[in-house]
Amino acid sequence: MRELVVLGTASQVPTRTRNHNGYLLRWDGEGLLFDPGEGTQRQMIHAGVSTNMITRICLTHVHGDHCFGLPGVLSRMALDAVPHPVHLHYPSTGGDMVRALVSVSTPGIDLRLHPHGEAGAVAEGLEVRPLKHRIETYGYRLAEPDGRTLLPERLQAAGISGPDAGRLQRQGSLGGVQLEDVSVARPGQRFAFVMDTAPCPGAEELADGADLLVAESTFADDDAGLAGQYRHLTAGQAGELAARSGARTLVLTHFSSRYGDDASLLLAQAGARAGSAAVIAAEDLQRIPFPRRRRLSHGPALRPGPVDATKPRPSASPVSLGGHS
């Protein structure tokens, strides 16, 4: 299961239909909660999301609309007796705010704090890059390692079947047959979370090749002056980010209340500059499935050989972020 559950889409001021920020990425056995703003606990109830799903909480920065929901979420996790460790990632300069928010939450969970102060990996498969906002801010990127997909017809031609197919995957070669001879490259899926930033190299690095890019779209293009003043993206800039990075799906969010509950203008402006990316203006409680894997060319056929064989099912290797039970 890989999907994005949108819990809130408003920026500083919520509206009647838009809660403050909150995004749960379900990634195989992991649940990454990004930027839980005020009211996130209640939004989780409406969305049918259990606190037991959460294994990591990732804060881009400590402005209130991105973190004031943290005490409620942690307290609910304690009430629900969540049994596994919960890892909390945040910029190191926001440590005082994070500790204050944690201090007013109900104790009882195994909460592990992970401050970061530079670009790099913060867990297996999970990286951060600095963004350009008014306070220290980092975006997140989750990447599955590249792998290979076995081709049943090539396995059959090479005379490999049953358990031998698994041995070939693990070992890289078997009986003179190389893994590359009977498989094609399978690019790992990539997720990027870019929030509260002016255009900057960090945003570009996070979005590069993303299958699913979540990006703030606080202002319309006509309000580019305000976006520059407060260091936010316009809708058109979010679209340009998706186009330049080769992102497949762009999810717009973090909308200013000045546009009410209608994001159609922002959607149109982003879409006009997003290139081939599909563009979605997120709505509260929306569930967005991960795009299907990219289509791959099978390349030149392997010369046929003897032996019959079964047709093993191609298997994907899920990413383990590590650090939890």
Side-chain angles (χ1 to χ4, degrees):
M1 168 63 74
R2 293 184 181 180
E3 68 172 357
L4 180 71
V5 183
V6 180
L7 301 172
T9 56
S11 56
Q12 187 176 29
V13 179
T15 71
R16 290 181 182 274
T17 64
R18 296 191 184 277
N19 197 73
H20 274 153
N21 284 284
Y23 313 86
L24 179 72
L25 177 65
R26 300 183 65 190
W27 183 276
D28 302 334
E30 297 279 346
L32 293 87
L33 177 64
F34 293 91
D35 282 3
E38 183 181 349
T40 294
Q41 179 189 177
R42 188 167 183 270
Q43 292 294 93
M44 290 173 62
I45 295 172
H46 284 303
V49 171
S50 165
T51 58
N52 276 283
M53 295 179 182
I54 300 172
T55 55
R56 292 184 187 273
I57 301 174
C58 302
L59 305 182
T60 58
H61 63 298
V62 294
H63 278 159
D65 55 324
H66 296 260
C67 65
F68 280 178
L70 182 61
V73 171
L74 295 178
S75 296
R76 179 57 188 269
M77 296 182 85
L79 181 65
D80 292 344
V82 169
H84 53 259
V86 179
H87 300 267
L88 175 56
H89 302 276
Y90 58 92
S92 56
T93 56
D96 288 346
M97 172 71 83
V98 169
R99 286 187 291 272
L101 293 171
V102 171
S103 72
V104 297
S105 65
T106 303
I109 65 170
D110 182 3
L111 182 66
R112 304 181 184 184
L113 304 185
H114 301 282
H116 51 259
E118 60 183 8
V122 296
E124 186 178 349
L126 183 66
E127 297 185 349
V128 297
R129 293 290 186 276
L131 298 175
K132 188 178 180 181
H133 195 41
R134 303 192 307 279
I135 63 173
E136 186 181 32
T137 302
Y138 287 83
Y140 292 83
R141 176 180 174 89
L142 181 62
E144 176 187 49
D146 293 339
R148 301 196 69 84
T149 297
L150 295 175
L151 302 176
E153 66 277 10
R154 294 197 182 181
L155 288 171
Q156 184 174 4
I160 296 175
S161 62
D164 283 342
R167 295 190 188 97
L168 176 59
Q169 278 191 307
R170 292 190 298 272
Q171 299 170 188
S173 64
L174 184 69
V177 176
Q178 301 299 312
L179 178 60
E180 291 77 9
D181 295 334
V182 293
S183 65
V184 291
R186 184 188 67 238
Q189 290 189 316
R190 299 174 176 88
F191 170 83
F193 189 78
V194 177
M195 200 61 56
D196 283 35
T197 185
C200 66
E204 302 275 352
E205 292 173 15
L206 292 165
D208 184 36
D211 294 279
L212 189 64
L213 166 62
V214 177
E216 67 134 314
S217 178
T218 307
F219 293 106
D221 292 347
D222 292 344
D223 293 318
L226 285 174
Q229 178 182 350
Y230 292 106
R231 295 194 173 182
H232 281 290
L233 295 179
T234 67
Q237 288 171 333
E240 288 180 350
L241 176 63
R244 286 195 302 271
S245 65
R248 297 174 63 200
T249 300
L250 168 64
V251 178
L252 305 173
T253 187
H254 196 268
F255 305 119
S256 170
S257 61
R258 68 178 51 237
Y259 310 113
D261 294 320
D262 183 4
S264 58
L265 172 63
L266 304 174
L267 177 64
Q269 291 179 346
R273 295 157 73 176
S276 62
V279 184
I280 299 169
E283 298 288 344
D284 284 27
L285 309 182
Q286 185 176 8
R287 290 176 179 261
I288 301 173
F290 228 79
R292 289 183 177 273
R293 292 186 180 277
R294 300 175 191 268
R295 288 183 174 274
L296 299 171
S297 170
H298 285 193
L302 187 70
R303 186 177 301 170
V307 192
D308 65 344
T310 59
K311 293 187 176 182
R313 297 172 62 88
S315 59
S317 300
V319 172
S320 170
L321 295 181
H324 67 87
S325 57

